[in-house]
Amino acid sequence: VRILENRCAHRGPHLCGQARGNAGRLTCPYHAWTYQLDGTLIGIPEIDEYPADFDKAAHSLWQVPSVERYRGFIFARLVGEGPDLMTFLGSARGVYDDFVDRAPQDAIEVMPGMVKHRFRANWKMMLENLNDLYHAIFAHASATTAIGAVSDPDKLHPVIRSLVASPRVVPMFKQLRSAIDRFGHSHVTGSVDFSGRPIPRDAYFEALAAARGEERAREILSINHGMQLLYPSGVVNPGQQVVRTIHPISPEETEVRGYVFRLKGAPEEITRLAMFYFNLSTSAFSPIIADDLEIYERTQRNHRHSRSDWIELTRGIGADRSQPAATSEEYIRSQFRVWQTYMRGTMP
Ligand code: FES
Ligand SMILES: [Fe+2]
């Protein structure tokens, strides 16, 4: 696998406008410079108009200097120097095991399409929010109470009903811990399935047990990384079969891309439910994510205009940093510690 910058070496536009597909070569839409898939420039129309010493070889597409893989995922590092993938991921690598081990055929597959949304706030807000168990019961009350208020909740789809059930896990939140990694990655430990997603365990368990043995199948399903934040680029959620990547557009605008995965060898019902839950909880029309987006944008507006320079991030400070409570803001402080080192050009 090669990862090339999508930038023509002539005058710089995007070469390829397709999100996915196959091609034998890449031709720029502007003046038809043509590149091989390894990035080598092979064709320039009217090349005789260029200087005699024009060096085609010096006009390859820029190639990402470091590409590594783990469990089928491909990772790119844009700079030549830096930690290798395993060092960078640290304990967060476990999220990929958690994800792929759940597939009876030991492989997962990204479903066609993605969900994109943009919000008018800094990218950090999302990473500060996703492991914030403290906010869930308050910020999402409007959605969950509305669902809870329907006259005949039994008629609701079980996935929708599960959203109402989620506040019930709040008293458990304080018992949970955050696992925070050196590079700012974090997840909530413990095996609470926050989605409450009613999955047809039986058929799925049978498929997994047939492939890996009952004991191992049970062990795999008992692991739950919840939402693993990969600071600063995204979030992986094996239980919901979702990966989201975070793309800063400007200091005040962010795009999020979400992908649902199929666990190979699992019943199709599992995939269908994952899609349904994804749409409901994280797509642009989700009543849940609308609450979070509203908060990010309200916060960003105030950061721009307020006379107060500071926000408050001390919840849980002074407690054991290696085992902070899941309701502590320690994981956000760790993100800022890491960000500070990056801004200074040093290593966490
Ligand atoms: S800009 Fe790509 S060929 Fe001219
Ligand atoms: Fe939220």
Side-chain angles (χ1 to χ4, degrees), residues 138-257:
F138 309 109
H140 299 302
S142 64
T144 55
T145 11
I147 299 166
V150 302
S151 53
D152 195 352
D154 290 341
K155 289 212 178 110
L156 291 173
H157 189 288
V159 171
I160 296 181
R161 223 165 39 226
S162 75
L163 294 178
V164 191
S166 57
R168 285 191 216 130
V169 298
V170 169
M172 298 161 66
F173 286 176
K174 284 191 181 150
Q175 314 306 318
L176 301 172
R177 293 281 167 266
S178 287
I180 299 173
D181 207 82
R182 171 183 157 198
F183 286 89
H185 318 311
S186 65
H187 72 274
V188 175
T189 63
S191 46
V192 177
D193 184 358
F194 295 109
S195 72
R197 186 159 56 95
I199 54 174
R201 288 269 169 203
D202 296 349
Y204 172 50
F205 183 80
E206 264 168 42
L208 197 61
R212 303 184 187 275
E214 268 195 32
E215 201 180 319
R216 179 72 187 123
R218 225 169 258 122
E219 188 182 67
I220 287 168
L221 293 176
S222 72
I223 299 167
N224 190 341
H225 260 255
M227 267 190 225
Q228 172 76 60
L229 305 191
L230 290 163
Y231 189 77
S233 351
V235 47
V236 179
N237 191 327
Q240 293 176 13
Q241 294 161 232
V242 165
V243 172
R244 280 178 281 171
T245 53
I246 299 173
H247 305 261
I249 304 298
S250 77
E252 298 195 328
E253 190 173 11
T254 305
E255 181 172 294
V256 179
R257 300 179 193 162

Side-chain angles (χ1 to χ4, degrees), residues 39-323:
T40 310
L41 176 63
I42 50 169
I44 300 182
E46 312 302 332
I47 193 165
D48 51 340
E49 292 183 34
Y50 280 86
D53 61 350
F54 182 84
D55 182 9
K56 256 208 241 168
H59 292 78
S60 296
L61 300 179
W62 185 76
Q63 187 168 336
V64 168
S66 170
V67 178
E68 289 186 71
R69 304 185 193 211
Y70 187 66
R71 300 299 301 264
F73 286 84
I74 298 166
F75 299 82
R77 194 182 63 211
L78 298 181
V79 292
E81 296 198 350
D84 60 38
L85 178 63
M86 285 305 125
T87 307
F88 176 71
L89 289 178
S91 61
R93 75 188 270 185
V95 77
Y96 297 100
D97 298 323
D98 183 13
F99 208 151
V100 183
D101 286 349
R102 285 163 184 259
Q105 287 171 15
D106 207 41
I108 59 176
E109 184 176 51
V110 66
M111 299 297 288
M114 69 170 98
V115 165
K116 276 194 211 175
H117 62 260
R118 282 193 185 198
F119 54 85
R120 284 178 301 256
N122 190 266
W123 57 272
K124 295 185 200 71
M125 304 240 182
M126 184 167 157
L127 289 157
E128 290 167 20
N129 167 270
L130 288 177
N131 273 351
D132 184 340
L133 299 190
Y134 192 45
H135 87 290
I137 188 165
F138 309 109
H140 299 302
S142 64
T144 55
T145 11
I147 299 166
V150 302
S151 53
D152 195 352
D154 290 341
K155 289 212 178 110
L156 291 173
H157 189 288
V159 171
I160 296 181
R161 223 165 39 226
S162 75
L163 294 178
V164 191
S166 57
R168 285 191 216 130
V169 298
V170 169
M172 298 161 66
F173 286 176
K174 284 191 181 150
Q175 314 306 318
L176 301 172
R177 293 281 167 266
S178 287
I180 299 173
D181 207 82
R182 171 183 157 198
F183 286 89
H185 318 311
S186 65
H187 72 274
V188 175
T189 63
S191 46
V192 177
D193 184 358
F194 295 109
S195 72
R197 186 159 56 95
I199 54 174
R201 288 269 169 203
D202 296 349
Y204 172 50
F205 183 80
E206 264 168 42
L208 197 61
R212 303 184 187 275
E214 268 195 32
E215 201 180 319
R216 179 72 187 123
R218 225 169 258 122
E219 188 182 67
I220 287 168
L221 293 176
S222 72
I223 299 167
N224 190 341
H225 260 255
M227 267 190 225
Q228 172 76 60
L229 305 191
L230 290 163
Y231 189 77
S233 351
V235 47
V236 179
N237 191 327
Q240 293 176 13
Q241 294 161 232
V242 165
V243 172
R244 280 178 281 171
T245 53
I246 299 173
H247 305 261
I249 304 298
S250 77
E252 298 195 328
E253 190 173 11
T254 305
E255 181 172 294
V256 179
R257 300 179 193 162
Y259 306 85
V260 179
F261 287 73
R262 190 168 81 83
L263 306 173
K264 280 196 173 178
E268 270 317 301
E269 179 68 358
I270 296 278
T271 313
R272 219 182 53 74
L273 277 167
M275 298 284 261
F276 192 103
Y277 191 77
F278 177 72
N279 279 323
L280 196 67
S281 65
T282 22
S283 78
F285 86 93
S286 157
I288 303 293
I289 205 126
D291 297 327
D292 298 309
L293 299 180
E294 173 70 16
I295 297 287
Y296 304 161
E297 296 194 355
R298 285 189 191 195
T299 308
Q300 185 72 46
R301 281 200 295 273
N302 276 351
H303 283 347
R304 195 186 318 128
H305 299 303
S306 172
R307 312 253 164 244
S308 320
D309 289 338
W310 297 99
I311 55 165
E312 173 52 51
L313 271 181
T314 54
R315 201 172 68 240
I317 213 161
D320 177 6
R321 225 193 228 185
S322 63
Q323 280 279 294

Side-chain angles (χ1 to χ4, degrees), residues 8-13 15 28-33 35 50:
C8 178
H10 180 209
R11 301 237 295 264
L15 265 180
C28 179
Y30 205 173
H31 316 93
W33 282 26
Y35 303 86
Y50 280 86

Side-chain angles (χ1 to χ4, degrees), residues 4 16 21-27 34-40 42 61:
L4 304 169
C16 174
N22 293 290
R25 53 185 54 178
L26 298 163
T27 300
T34 298
Y35 303 86
Q36 267 172 357
L37 296 185
D38 66 359
T40 310
I42 50 169
L61 300 179

